[in-house]
């Protein structure tokens, strides 16, 4: 007489142990950590990582590894992004500090020329690079436009800090509403001031 094995009993989870679920915060932390090349996403990864780690203290919640990984990636992204932004901000400040005296030189030249003061205009110019006749022609043009107001550099600005050279393309404005387009190159002198080495004025 053949014997049949007893039927397999179904396996039930131990009493009091509900099925585990993955922490949504842990998942979010990992995702934002991977995207943490931006400071904002890095901060979100850190916050959700902390929440996820806290949530996984409950045995019914899993995902602690993801939360920790997201937290670490978030920290790396936030620190790295902060350094990048900080470096960019420092470079911008240095460029502004370098450009400011050059703009003052251009403004001083433009103001003197608009008043017809040739001698003073020449003090802003490297006379070994620009002819006196060219400056005289610019002075004769600008003095017909009335009082100088300001000079505004345009987008085409090139600053070479190592060479102490700045190229501007901008606009001279006069109080009567007249304008002149200006392409100018300047070089830093030993006294820290800039002098104009090339100049082109157009209507």
């Amino acid at each position: 007489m053949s014997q049949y094995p007893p039927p397999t009993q179904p396996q039930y989870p131990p009493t009091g142990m509900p099925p585990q679920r993955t922490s949504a915060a842990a998942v979010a932390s990992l995702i934002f950590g991977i995207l943490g090349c931006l400071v904002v996403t890095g901060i979100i990864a850190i916050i959700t990582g902390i929440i996820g780690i806290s949530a996984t203290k409950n045995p019914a919640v899993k995902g602690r590894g993801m939360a920790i990984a997201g937290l670490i990636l978030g920290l790396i992204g936030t620190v790295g992004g902060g350094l990048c932004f900080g470096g960019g901000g420092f470079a911008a400040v240095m460029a502004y500090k370098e450009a400011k005296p050059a703009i003052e030189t251009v403004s001083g030249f433009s103001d003197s020329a608009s008043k017809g003061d040739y001698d003073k205009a020449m003090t802003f110019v490297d006379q070994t690079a620009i002819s006196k006749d060219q400056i005289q022609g610019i002075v004769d043009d600008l003095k017909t436009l009335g009082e100088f107001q300001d000079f505004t550099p345009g987008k085409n600005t090139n600053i070479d800090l190592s060479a102490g050279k700045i190229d501007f393309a901008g606009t001279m404005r006069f109080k009567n509403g007249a304008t002149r387009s200006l392409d100018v190159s300047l070089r830093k002198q030993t006294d820290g001031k800039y002098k104009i080495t090339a100049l082109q004025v157009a209507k």
Side-chain angles (χ1 to χ4, degrees):
M1 185 174 181
S2 60
Q3 299 291 325
Y4 295 99
T8 304
Q9 296 295 322
Q11 300 295 318
Y12 297 101
T15 304
M17 292 292 290
Q20 285 189 315
R21 61 179 177 82
T22 301
S23 167
V27 176
S29 177
L30 182 60
I31 293 173
F32 282 110
I34 293 172
L35 299 174
C37 55
L38 298 175
V39 174
V40 174
T41 54
I43 292 173
I44 295 174
I46 293 171
I47 294 172
T48 52
I50 294 172
I51 294 173
I53 292 171
S54 178
T56 55
K57 291 179 180 179
N58 184 341
V61 180
K62 60 182 180 179
R64 186 178 184 84
M66 286 190 291
I68 293 173
L71 176 62
I72 294 173
L73 289 173
L75 288 169
I76 294 172
T78 301
V79 173
L83 290 174
C84 288
F85 281 120
F90 176 75
V93 169
M94 290 300 295
Y96 171 76
K97 285 184 176 180
E98 199 68 19
K100 186 178 179 181
I103 293 174
E104 290 173 350
T105 294
V106 175
S107 297
F109 170 84
S110 302
D111 183 61
S112 300
S114 70
K115 294 175 181 176
D117 192 340
Y118 168 82
D119 291 333
K120 187 172 182 181
M122 288 299 294
T123 64
F124 298 98
V125 174
D126 181 350
Q127 299 182 36
T128 64
I130 302 179
S131 70
K132 294 181 179 180
D133 288 342
Q134 181 185 0
I135 299 301
Q136 184 65 64
I138 293 173
V139 171
D140 290 342
D141 173 43
L142 298 187
K143 71 181 182 181
T144 65
L145 302 179
E147 188 176 353
F148 172 74
Q149 180 172 314
D150 59 37
F151 168 71
T152 304
K155 294 181 180 179
N156 296 326
T157 298
N158 180 41
I159 300 176
D160 187 343
L161 295 177
S162 60
K165 183 180 178 182
I166 295 180
D167 298 321
F168 283 130
T171 302
M172 292 184 290
R173 286 197 295 266
F174 298 82
K175 290 189 177 181
N176 64 359
T179 62
R180 286 290 187 271
S181 296
L182 176 67
D183 288 317
V184 58
S185 296
L186 305 98
R187 187 172 293 278
K188 195 172 188 178
Q189 308 298 302
T190 55
D191 60 1
K193 295 181 180 181
Y194 277 87
K195 284 201 172 185
I196 297 169
T197 56
L199 186 65
Q200 187 68 42
V201 177
K203 296 181 180 180

